[in-house]
Amino acid sequence: MAYVTLNRPQALNVYNIQMRDDLYQVLSAVKDDPEVNVVIFKGVGEKAFCAGADLSDFLSAPSPIVARQVRFGRDVWSLFLSIPQPIVAAVHGYVLGSGIEMALCCDIRIASEDAKFGLPEVGLGIIPAAGGTQTLPRAIGVARALEMLLANRRLSSEEAHSMGLVNQVVPKNKLLETAEEVARKIASFDPRAVRNAKQAVLRGLNLSLSEGLDLERRLAAGLRGGRGGRQG
Ligand code: COA
C-alpha cells in the first residue's frame, strides 16, 4: 500500500508548481511499482484536504509561462487518471478547485463529516484545468456539475454523499482508518483482477456498450489465460 500525502498545511495544501512537479514524480513511481497494489491519497492539517490552486503561484505568472504550465499540468492529470492501481482518497475540510479534481482522479472517495466541496474557478475568471469539467459531470451528472461550476454551489459532505461524489462519510477521527480498511480489502485480492476490473470500468466509460463489452471480454479472457482457463 502506498500513501500520497499533500503536505502544505500552512497554506491549506493549495496546489502549486512545486506540488505539481512532486506529484508527477510520485505518481510515475507508483504507476511503475509492481509492489504497490493500492494507493491512499490524503492531505495533512486540520482545515483542508486541498483548498485549490495556489492563487499566488498560478494566477500571477505571465501568460506564455501559464500556457506551458497548463500543458504540463494536463500531463499530470492524464498520468493521474492512467494509474492502474486503485486509489482511495481520504478528504476532509476544504476540498476546493483542484482539491475536488484530485479527489475525482481517485477511484473511491471517503470524506470526513467536516468536508466542504466547491469549484470557485469561474468566479475567479478561470476554469478548472485539472480535468474537473470532464470528471465531475461523469461523477454526479451534468446539471449538478454545472451548478457547482457555474454558480459556485458548495456541498456539505452529506450532500456530496447523496450525489455520489463520495462513497462514505465518516467522523473525522475515523477518516484514515476507514480509507485504510477499504484499501486493505482491495489489497487482499488478486492484483491482476483488481487492475483489470478498474480498467474495464474506466476505459468502458468512454466506449459504446458493445465496445465496452468487448473490452470486458478481452480483460476477462486475459485473466483466465493466466489461470489455466478457469471460468468466473
Ligand atoms: N492560494 C494561496 N494561498 C491560499 C489559498 C490559495 N488558493 N487559500 C488559502 N491560502 C492561504 C491563505 O493565504 C492563508 O495564508 P496566511 O496564513 O499566510 O495568510 C492560509 O492559506 C490559510 O487560509 P485562510 O484564508 O486564513 O483560512 P480560512 O479558514 O480563513 O479560509 C478558505 C479558508 C478556504 C475559505 C479561504 O482560504 C479561501 O477562500 N481560499 C481560496 C480558495 C480558492 O479560491 N481556491 C482557488 C480555487 S482555483
Side-chain angles (χ1 to χ4, degrees):
M1 191 183 307
Y3 290 82
V4 179
T5 305
L6 304 175
N7 191 8
R8 289 186 77 205
Q10 71 287 359
L12 309 184
N13 293 327
V14 291
Y15 180 78
N16 65 358
I17 292 166
Q18 179 69 47
M19 200 185 272
R20 177 199 65 191
D21 293 346
D22 291 348
L23 200 53
Y24 194 87
Q25 278 194 2
V26 167
L27 291 174
S28 302
V30 163
K31 185 174 181 173
D32 293 338
D33 190 338
E35 306 267 291
V36 173
N37 44 19
V38 61
V39 181
I40 291 185
F41 200 96
K42 62 186 175 59
V44 295
E46 268 304 298
K47 279 166 71 172
F49 167 69
C50 170
D54 188 323
L55 297 173
S56 55
D57 222 0
F58 281 98
L59 291 188
S60 59
S63 55
I65 297 178
V66 168
R68 270 208 305 279
Q69 283 162 3
V70 167
R71 278 199 297 278
F72 190 93
R74 208 179 292 135
D75 290 344
V76 175
W77 309 120
S78 306
L79 172 65
F80 208 149
L81 290 166
S82 74
I83 301 295
Q85 301 97 326
I87 309 177
V88 181
V91 303
H92 71 282
Y94 292 107
V95 189
L96 303 178
S98 35
I100 287 203
E101 296 180 280
M102 285 192 265
L104 283 164
C105 290
C106 300
D107 304 302
I108 295 172
R109 287 169 283 281
I110 315 293
S112 61
E113 288 163 344
D114 70 331
K116 296 170 275 292
F117 300 83
L119 284 160
E121 283 91 340
V122 167
L124 297 165
I126 55 176
I127 69 168
T133 62
Q134 304 308 304
T135 52
L136 188 65
R138 282 167 166 82
I140 63 171
V142 173
R144 286 162 164 170
L146 283 173
E147 191 181 10
M148 290 186 75
L149 279 159
L150 304 181
N152 196 10
R153 163 89 192 275
R154 303 280 172 120
L155 305 180
S156 66
S157 55
E158 276 311 326
E159 288 171 311
H161 185 228
S162 71
M163 289 185 189
L165 179 58
V166 302
N167 296 71
Q168 288 189 55
V169 177
V170 297
K172 198 168 181 182
N173 62 359
K174 298 267 186 254
L175 178 62
L176 187 58
E177 183 181 320
T178 308
E180 285 172 333
E181 225 168 83
V182 174
R184 267 197 301 275
K185 186 78 184 172
I186 294 170
S188 71
F189 299 137
D190 178 343
R192 289 172 59 240
V194 168
R195 285 177 184 224
N196 281 18
K198 171 172 170 169
Q199 200 188 140
V201 171
L202 295 188
R203 282 181 55 199
L205 281 178
N206 300 319
L207 300 174
S208 68
L209 181 58
S210 64
E211 288 167 333
L213 291 173
D214 192 45
L215 172 68
E216 183 189 77
R217 255 190 307 274
R218 279 185 279 120
L219 289 167
L223 283 180
R224 282 197 295 271
R227 292 168 160 228
R230 217 171 82 186
Q231 296 291 315

